[in-house]
Amino acid sequence: MVPPRRDPSGFYWGAARPSKTGEARPEKFFFGAATSSHQVEGNNYNDWSEWEHKTANSKSQMANRKNWPDYILNPQAGGPNPLQKENYISGRACDHYNRYEEDFDIAKSLGHNAHRFSIEWSRIEPEQGKFNEKEIEHYWQVIKALRKRGIEPFVTLWHWTNPLWIRDIGGWENKKTVEYFLRYAGKIIQTLGQEVKFWIPINEPTIYTGLAYVMGQFPPEKKNLFKADKVLKNFITAYKKTYLLLHKKLPGVMVGNANNIHCHLPFNKKSLLDKVAVKLLQYFRDWRNLKWTDGFEDFIGLNYYFLDTIKVVPFNGRFILFDVRNPNKWISDMGWEIYPEGIYHNLKKLKEKNLPIYITENGLADAKDEKRAKFIKNHLKWVHKAISEGVDVRGYFYWSLLDNFEWDKGFWPRFGLVEVNYKTMERKIRPSALEYKKIIEANAITE
């Protein structure tokens, strides 16, 4: 098949042409941003919100042991800082639940033609088997608001939070959760499905599993490799069953997971141990999950954020550990190593799957908005290089549209194209968002 024409400086252009699977490729590239329900909506009541109240005090005390820059401790945009307990309690978050039309107006003004968001399971089914029709209607209005503005919705069904009754049966450790999730997914498909083409059943199953069941940093704060393996396998089963259900009920939809894939490099390129450690981390941290979903994907969702440079170090003279030794040449407020070239290497690797790819998350915390424009431009340059070499990339979603509640870190990290004053809820478009808009309008990266 003849691939779609590409402007040397741009993304897709010209008439849509069929792909290898016979599906028509898009005439336009999807540009947008992403959010998740718990991080922006506000007033959620789920396993994570209860955990916030339980751990907020200890997190603020731990934060007092670190030296913070003044612009983090005294944010000009208003809101709590990491030394304050309220920083770690989501509360009304960005009040996006009530302000979604205002936020979508902003997205439209910035040239976005697609938006990724998640539906909150705990709102839809707060008690086992009891669906809240009012909340279903709310998400129907959200989808209609996007459609009205010409913005394509990408819907995520699970983005790290669970109803309390799911937590109480053991969460994703319990096989019954798979069937309960399928019932919830079926309800959403039945009531909202006709207006949605792109579906992401599970967000970053490997990241959640690692942080919740290996590192013990996220609820339910367990460190158990056997339970972690069980949880990940339940996620994969839930994803596959939801994939089949979506295609049964809604022929023609596009379904794929959002997979966080790091870039790992050996600290010493000549060290066999460092290179082997990189291979092991790449497989278990990132690629194993993708192998398990072969045959159950219509597209690949790629979330990419940072580089980890890996060095093997001895421990107690016997055990060998992996150690992150980043050069820290260019870092975000979170201390993440910014490495735009990494997105290119991940895209080239994903080309082996022979599927369309959407970059479903890519962003950084940058309260002063000094690095974000360059971050977006440089990552998109590498995305375009991958496209020019035959990788079927069809969209890019910056994380995030709004400043939001960054899970265990709380409010202080500022990821948004749009600044949020957490005291007044005022929205303010950042200069970097306007630079992203220029790329969108030109359908190219301009100097």
Side-chain angles (χ1 to χ4, degrees):
M1 295 294 182
V2 179
R5 294 180 295 163
R6 294 181 175 89
D7 185 320
S9 65
F11 296 89
Y12 286 105
W13 65 285
R17 295 172 185 247
S19 69
K20 291 180 180 178
T21 60
E23 177 214 353
R25 285 177 169 169
E27 294 182 17
K28 63 182 178 182
F29 194 87
F30 281 129
F31 283 108
T35 62
S36 85
S37 55
H38 188 78
Q39 293 178 269
V40 297
E41 285 182 347
N43 299 315
N44 279 305
Y45 187 50
N46 52 37
D47 64 334
W48 205 287
S49 64
E50 284 211 347
W51 181 74
E52 291 163 13
H53 287 274
K54 176 183 174 183
T55 59
N57 190 53
S58 61
K59 287 175 188 171
S60 63
Q61 290 176 356
M62 287 289 292
N64 272 282
R65 302 177 185 177
K66 181 179 176 180
N67 292 322
W68 297 89
D70 184 68
Y71 69 91
I72 297 294
L73 293 182
N74 301 291
Q76 292 184 352
N81 70 43
L83 307 184
Q84 298 169 320
K85 180 179 177 180
E86 56 265 36
N87 175 73
Y88 304 97
I89 298 174
S90 56
R92 59 176 180 164
C94 307
D95 196 30
H96 177 72
Y97 185 89
N98 296 306
R99 297 169 183 257
Y100 63 90
E101 292 201 75
E102 174 188 354
D103 295 334
F104 295 160
D105 282 339
I106 293 172
K108 178 67 175 176
S109 76
L110 294 173
H112 298 190
N113 61 7
H115 180 74
R116 180 186 168 208
F117 72 97
S118 69
I119 293 173
E120 181 63 32
W121 186 4
S122 64
R123 289 189 189 274
I124 301 298
E125 193 178 4
E127 297 180 54
Q128 183 177 339
K130 295 182 180 180
F131 293 103
N132 189 323
E133 298 297 333
K134 179 182 176 182
E135 296 293 357
I136 293 172
E137 174 63 21
H138 168 79
Y139 287 108
W140 175 248
Q141 294 301 324
V142 169
I143 293 168
K144 284 175 63 178
L146 288 168
R147 288 283 182 210
K148 181 181 177 181
R149 292 160 176 80
I151 300 175
E152 185 75 31
F154 279 61
V155 174
T156 305
L157 291 174
W158 186 85
H159 201 128
W160 290 9
T161 56
N162 300 302
L164 293 178
W165 61 272
I166 286 290
R167 178 204 62 187
D168 292 342
I169 65 168
W172 287 91
E173 297 172 53
N174 191 332
K175 282 187 177 181
K176 290 182 179 179
T177 297
V178 174
E179 297 307 317
Y180 291 140
F181 178 79
L182 199 66
R183 181 179 65 189
Y184 150 68
K187 182 68 173 180
I188 298 301
I189 293 165
Q190 175 191 350
T191 52
L192 306 179
Q194 295 302 318
E195 285 294 326
V196 178
K197 180 179 180 181
F198 295 94
W199 296 86
I200 299 170
I202 307 286
N203 177 75
E204 297 182 341
T206 56
I207 298 298
Y208 172 84
T209 302
L211 290 173
Y213 288 91
V214 179
M215 304 299 292
Q217 295 177 5
F218 285 0
E221 295 185 286
K222 296 184 179 181
K223 295 182 181 181
N224 187 307
L225 291 177
F226 295 104
K227 289 183 178 180
D229 188 65
K230 182 188 296 185
V231 167
L232 187 56
K233 287 178 179 177
N234 283 339
F235 277 136
I236 299 304
T237 301
Y239 170 77
K240 289 180 176 180
K241 288 188 174 184
T242 306
Y243 175 92
L244 294 173
L245 181 64
L246 277 159
H247 279 283
K248 179 181 179 181
K249 299 294 184 180
L250 302 169
V253 295
M254 298 285 286
V255 186
N257 263 358
N259 306 278
N260 187 293
I261 302 178
H262 306 78
C263 180
H264 299 94
L265 294 177
F267 178 78
N268 183 346
K269 294 181 180 179
K270 295 182 180 180
S271 167
L272 179 61
L273 282 176
D274 287 3
K275 289 191 284 188
V276 169
V278 164
K279 291 290 185 184
L280 287 171
L281 279 173
Q282 284 176 332
Y283 178 73
F284 286 103
R285 200 179 188 190
D286 298 328
W287 298 105
R288 178 175 62 157
N289 171 58
L290 281 164
K291 289 183 178 293
W292 287 350
T293 54
D294 277 344
F296 292 83
E297 300 154 314
D298 305 310
F299 67 86
I300 303 295
L302 167 62
N303 296 356
Y304 172 72
Y305 286 94
F306 57 83
L307 165 73
D308 272 343
T309 304
I310 306 301
K311 180 175 176 59
V312 176
V313 295
F315 180 69
N316 286 343
R318 299 179 64 185
F319 298 102
I320 292 178
L321 300 175
F322 303 148
D323 186 26
V324 177
R325 299 285 181 91
N326 286 335
N328 292 334
K329 293 179 180 178
W330 189 23
I331 61 172
S332 72
D333 290 347
M334 297 269 284
W336 295 351
E337 185 82 19
I338 302 168
Y339 186 65
E341 186 179 341
I343 201 168
Y344 165 79
H345 295 303
N346 285 339
L347 290 171
K348 291 289 284 185
K349 174 70 174 176
L350 288 171
K351 187 175 185 290
E352 299 172 6
K353 300 277 280 187
N354 197 30
L355 289 168
I357 301 167
Y358 294 91
I359 297 159
T360 40
E361 291 181 25
N362 177 237
L364 84 165
D366 179 21
K368 295 195 286 185
D369 200 39
E370 293 179 340
K371 303 171 183 178
R372 188 173 288 106
K374 181 180 177 182
F375 176 97
I376 294 171
K377 182 175 288 188
N378 286 8
H379 279 84
L380 283 173
K381 282 182 178 179
W382 285 103
V383 170
H384 182 262
K385 178 175 172 59
I387 291 173
S388 69
E389 295 175 6
V391 182
D392 189 9
V393 185
R394 302 191 184 184
Y396 174 86
F397 294 81
Y398 176 81
W399 182 273
S400 176
L401 176 63
L402 306 166
D403 286 339
N404 55 55
F405 182 79
E406 181 56 28
W407 303 112
D408 62 326
K409 303 297 187 294
F411 287 109
W412 72 261
R414 299 281 183 155
F415 277 86
L417 293 171
V418 178
E419 177 185 290
V420 176
N421 185 312
Y422 293 116
K423 292 180 180 178
T424 65
M425 290 298 155
E426 177 188 3
R427 272 73 165 141
K428 182 180 178 182
I429 295 172
R430 288 193 165 106
S432 58
L434 300 177
E435 293 301 311
Y436 182 32
K437 180 182 180 180
K438 290 178 183 177
I439 294 171
I440 296 170
E441 289 180 338
N443 196 35
I445 301 162
T446 57
E447 296 301 331

